[in-house]
Short mmCIF file of all heavy atoms in Angstrom, two decimals:
data_model
loop_
_atom_site.label_atom_id
_atom_site.label_comp_id
_atom_site.label_asym_id
_atom_site.label_seq_id
_atom_site.Cartn_x
_atom_site.Cartn_y
_atom_site.Cartn_z
N PRO A 263 -1.27 3.27 15.97
CA PRO A 263 -2.67 3.60 15.95
C PRO A 263 -3.40 2.52 15.15
O PRO A 263 -2.88 1.93 14.24
CB PRO A 263 -2.75 4.99 15.27
CG PRO A 263 -1.48 5.03 14.43
CD PRO A 263 -0.47 4.30 15.15
N PRO A 264 -4.65 2.27 15.55
CA PRO A 264 -5.43 1.29 14.79
C PRO A 264 -5.68 1.72 13.38
O PRO A 264 -5.79 2.91 13.10
CB PRO A 264 -6.72 1.19 15.60
CG PRO A 264 -6.81 2.49 16.31
CD PRO A 264 -5.49 2.86 16.62
N PHE A 265 -5.74 0.76 12.45
CA PHE A 265 -5.96 1.12 11.04
C PHE A 265 -7.40 1.49 10.89
O PHE A 265 -8.33 0.88 11.25
CB PHE A 265 -5.73 -0.19 10.25
CG PHE A 265 -5.67 0.08 8.76
CD1 PHE A 265 -4.68 0.83 8.14
CD2 PHE A 265 -6.70 -0.44 7.90
CE1 PHE A 265 -4.60 1.00 6.77
CE2 PHE A 265 -6.70 -0.21 6.53
CZ PHE A 265 -5.65 0.49 6.00
N PRO A 266 -7.63 2.69 10.23
CA PRO A 266 -8.98 3.32 10.19
C PRO A 266 -9.80 2.78 9.08
O PRO A 266 -9.97 3.37 8.01
CB PRO A 266 -8.69 4.83 10.01
CG PRO A 266 -7.36 4.84 9.25
CD PRO A 266 -6.52 3.65 9.73
N VAL A 267 -10.40 1.59 9.30
CA VAL A 267 -11.20 0.97 8.26
C VAL A 267 -12.53 0.48 8.77
O VAL A 267 -12.55 -0.03 9.97
CB VAL A 267 -10.47 -0.18 7.56
CG1 VAL A 267 -10.06 -1.27 8.45
CG2 VAL A 267 -11.23 -0.75 6.38
N VAL A 268 -13.60 0.58 8.09
CA VAL A 268 -14.86 0.04 8.46
C VAL A 268 -15.40 -0.80 7.32
O VAL A 268 -15.02 -0.71 6.20
CB VAL A 268 -15.94 1.16 8.77
CG1 VAL A 268 -15.52 1.93 10.04
CG2 VAL A 268 -16.16 2.06 7.64
N ARG A 269 -16.34 -1.78 7.66
CA ARG A 269 -16.92 -2.69 6.67
C ARG A 269 -18.41 -2.28 6.59
O ARG A 269 -19.09 -2.06 7.59
CB ARG A 269 -16.78 -4.12 7.06
CG ARG A 269 -17.40 -5.08 6.10
CD ARG A 269 -16.95 -6.46 6.39
NE ARG A 269 -17.38 -6.97 7.67
CZ ARG A 269 -18.55 -7.60 7.96
NH1 ARG A 269 -19.41 -7.82 6.94
NH2 ARG A 269 -18.87 -8.01 9.17
N LEU A 270 -18.90 -2.22 5.34
CA LEU A 270 -20.35 -1.89 5.09
C LEU A 270 -21.02 -3.10 4.54
O LEU A 270 -20.42 -3.82 3.77
CB LEU A 270 -20.43 -0.68 4.09
CG LEU A 270 -19.90 0.66 4.56
CD1 LEU A 270 -18.41 0.78 4.30
CD2 LEU A 270 -20.62 1.76 3.87
N ARG A 271 -22.27 -3.30 4.92
CA ARG A 271 -23.05 -4.44 4.43
C ARG A 271 -24.44 -3.91 4.07
O ARG A 271 -25.00 -3.09 4.76
CB ARG A 271 -23.15 -5.51 5.51
CG ARG A 271 -23.83 -6.81 5.01
CD ARG A 271 -23.61 -7.92 5.98
NE ARG A 271 -24.35 -7.69 7.19
CZ ARG A 271 -24.18 -8.44 8.33
NH1 ARG A 271 -23.38 -9.45 8.31
NH2 ARG A 271 -24.91 -8.17 9.47
N GLY A 272 -25.07 -4.50 3.06
CA GLY A 272 -26.40 -4.09 2.60
C GLY A 272 -26.42 -2.95 1.62
O GLY A 272 -27.46 -2.28 1.41
N LEU A 273 -25.33 -2.71 0.93
CA LEU A 273 -25.25 -1.62 -0.04
C LEU A 273 -26.12 -1.97 -1.22
O LEU A 273 -26.27 -3.09 -1.68
CB LEU A 273 -23.77 -1.38 -0.50
CG LEU A 273 -22.81 -0.84 0.59
CD1 LEU A 273 -21.41 -1.02 0.09
CD2 LEU A 273 -23.13 0.59 0.87
N PRO A 274 -26.70 -0.92 -1.86
CA PRO A 274 -27.44 -1.14 -3.10
C PRO A 274 -26.51 -1.73 -4.21
O PRO A 274 -25.26 -1.37 -4.21
CB PRO A 274 -27.92 0.28 -3.56
CG PRO A 274 -27.87 1.11 -2.30
CD PRO A 274 -26.76 0.54 -1.49
N PHE A 275 -27.03 -2.53 -5.04
CA PHE A 275 -26.14 -3.21 -6.02
C PHE A 275 -25.66 -2.32 -7.13
O PHE A 275 -24.80 -2.67 -7.92
CB PHE A 275 -26.83 -4.43 -6.55
CG PHE A 275 -26.87 -5.57 -5.62
CD1 PHE A 275 -27.96 -5.79 -4.83
CD2 PHE A 275 -25.75 -6.38 -5.41
CE1 PHE A 275 -28.00 -6.81 -3.85
CE2 PHE A 275 -25.74 -7.40 -4.49
CZ PHE A 275 -26.89 -7.62 -3.70
N ASP A 276 -26.25 -1.10 -7.25
CA ASP A 276 -25.69 -0.11 -8.16
C ASP A 276 -24.94 0.99 -7.50
O ASP A 276 -24.68 2.04 -8.04
CB ASP A 276 -26.88 0.53 -9.02
CG ASP A 276 -27.89 1.22 -8.03
OD1 ASP A 276 -27.82 1.10 -6.84
OD2 ASP A 276 -28.80 1.91 -8.59
N CYS A 277 -24.46 0.65 -6.29
CA CYS A 277 -23.73 1.65 -5.45
C CYS A 277 -22.41 1.97 -6.11
O CYS A 277 -21.72 1.11 -6.72
CB CYS A 277 -23.50 1.01 -4.06
SG CYS A 277 -22.56 2.10 -3.00
#
Side-chain angles (χ1 to χ4, degrees):
F265 188 69
V267 60
V268 294
R269 181 169 62 91
L270 295 86
R271 187 170 66 190
L273 293 167
F275 285 96
D276 59 352
C277 179

